[in-house]
Amino acid sequence: MKPIALPRLLALASLAFAVSANGLRATIIASDTFTLTDTRIAGSALSGSTTETGNLTWNGGAQWQLTSAGYVTSTTTTSAGFAVPFSFAGYAQYGTIATVSFDVTFPRNNDSTWYALGFGTNSAGALNSTTGVVYIRVDSRLGGWTVTSGSTSVATGTLTATLGSYNRNNSYTWSVSYDESTRTIVNVSVNGTSIVSNYLVPETVTLSTVTSASFFGQFPAGTTEQIDNFKLEVTPSTIPEPGTWTVICGALSLAVSLFRRRSR
């Protein structure tokens, strides 16, 4: 009998990996473009409203308000944040890696003004050395950034060096991915450019259990900030779990068995 063609054998083998890859898809837990609705009107506080996807309730400072243009801005110069509740344990069925992202325009020209986003323990979004578990802090005037884990600085840099230029009036897309089960900062990126990846937080660093995904502004300018396109998603580890390996090995065994049978 004519042996099974190699391309067909490879196709069967690739099927197993396709099954594995399918299991690595991100699950969107919540997302929000801050579009106005009958109940979300311009000038109303973001706090108390729910995300467009996921129906998680925003909590935070009253000065963070919705605008007619479809983003969140600040109406005062008070430092405050906003956050949605999140725990790794609550979404373990979807994976172990959580990613939070925002589009941020934060143009105030002041050395003491900064913003931060990531994962913390404060329900109202505060991110600092005691309430921030893993987060990126950005100085609005010069574009300096610091990735922090607990109270430890993981990496520092500037947006000019990272992206080749910086304009505080521009919008920047920030993303923070963290795996609490392995204490790994999987990735931190700006405009798709990675600045930290696969950083294992040392055991000497004290970390709390994440309870929220947050944004925080230190002395925002008032009505000039634009915070938009929030997304929170969970992805399985890129290393297949034992059950996934079972599927892969089973499919490969089937491919080999068919090859041997056709070769006899």
Side-chain angles (χ1 to χ4, degrees):
M1 184 176 293
K2 184 179 179 180
I4 187 172
L6 181 59
R8 291 183 62 192
L9 178 61
L10 293 177
L12 287 169
S14 67
L15 175 62
F17 290 96
V19 172
S20 176
N22 183 64
L24 297 178
R25 292 177 182 172
T27 298
I28 297 176
I29 304 303
S31 65
D32 209 331
T33 62
F34 307 111
T35 301
L36 300 182
T37 65
D38 290 342
T39 57
R40 299 177 78 173
I41 61 176
S44 64
L46 174 67
S47 183
S49 68
T50 57
T51 59
E52 294 163 348
T53 300
N55 293 318
L56 299 185
T57 301
W58 288 105
N59 182 42
Q63 77 269 30
W64 295 106
Q65 296 185 4
L66 298 159
T67 70
S68 58
Y71 57 80
V72 176
T73 194
S74 174
T75 58
T76 71
T77 56
T78 303
S79 312
F82 51 92
V84 290
F86 172 77
S87 70
F88 283 87
Y91 297 93
Q93 68 269 35
Y94 301 117
T96 63
I97 301 171
T99 300
V100 60
S101 61
F102 287 95
D103 290 347
V104 183
T105 305
F106 214 87
R108 188 177 182 185
N109 189 19
N110 187 298
D111 287 335
S112 63
T113 304
W114 53 270
Y115 62 89
L117 60 100
F119 298 98
T121 61
N122 185 285
S123 62
L127 289 169
N128 53 46
S129 61
T130 57
T131 62
V133 178
V134 169
Y135 61 99
I136 174 80
R137 166 180 161 160
V138 185
D139 297 321
S140 59
R141 188 172 82 85
L142 297 177
W145 56 262
T146 303
V147 176
T148 301
S149 177
S151 59
T152 300
S153 173
V154 171
T156 61
T158 67
L159 284 174
T160 299
T162 302
L163 299 177
S165 64
Y166 173 65
N167 185 327
R168 59 190 174 83
N169 295 299
N170 289 348
S171 176
Y172 293 89
T173 299
W174 291 97
S175 176
V176 178
S177 299
Y178 177 55
D179 187 339
E180 189 172 65
S181 68
T182 59
R183 296 170 57 94
T184 301
I185 301 175
V186 179
N187 192 49
V188 179
S189 69
V190 54
N191 291 358
T193 297
S194 179
I195 56 179
V196 173
S197 62
N198 297 319
Y199 175 83
L200 181 62
V201 179
E203 291 293 337
T204 54
V205 177
T206 301
L207 294 178
S208 300
T209 300
V210 168
T211 59
S212 64
S214 310
F215 180 89
F216 181 83
Q218 172 72 16
F219 298 112
T223 72
T224 58
E225 295 78 26
Q226 298 181 21
I227 319 302
D228 206 353
N229 296 323
F230 161 77
K231 183 184 290 185
L232 173 63
E233 54 189 4
V234 173
T235 311
S237 170
T238 54
I239 300 174
E241 298 179 355
T244 304
W245 280 120
T246 300
V247 174
I248 293 173
C249 292
L252 288 174
S253 296
L254 175 61
V256 172
S257 176
L258 288 174
F259 177 78
R260 288 176 175 174
R261 186 176 301 174
R262 292 295 184 89
S263 300
R264 293 173 182 172

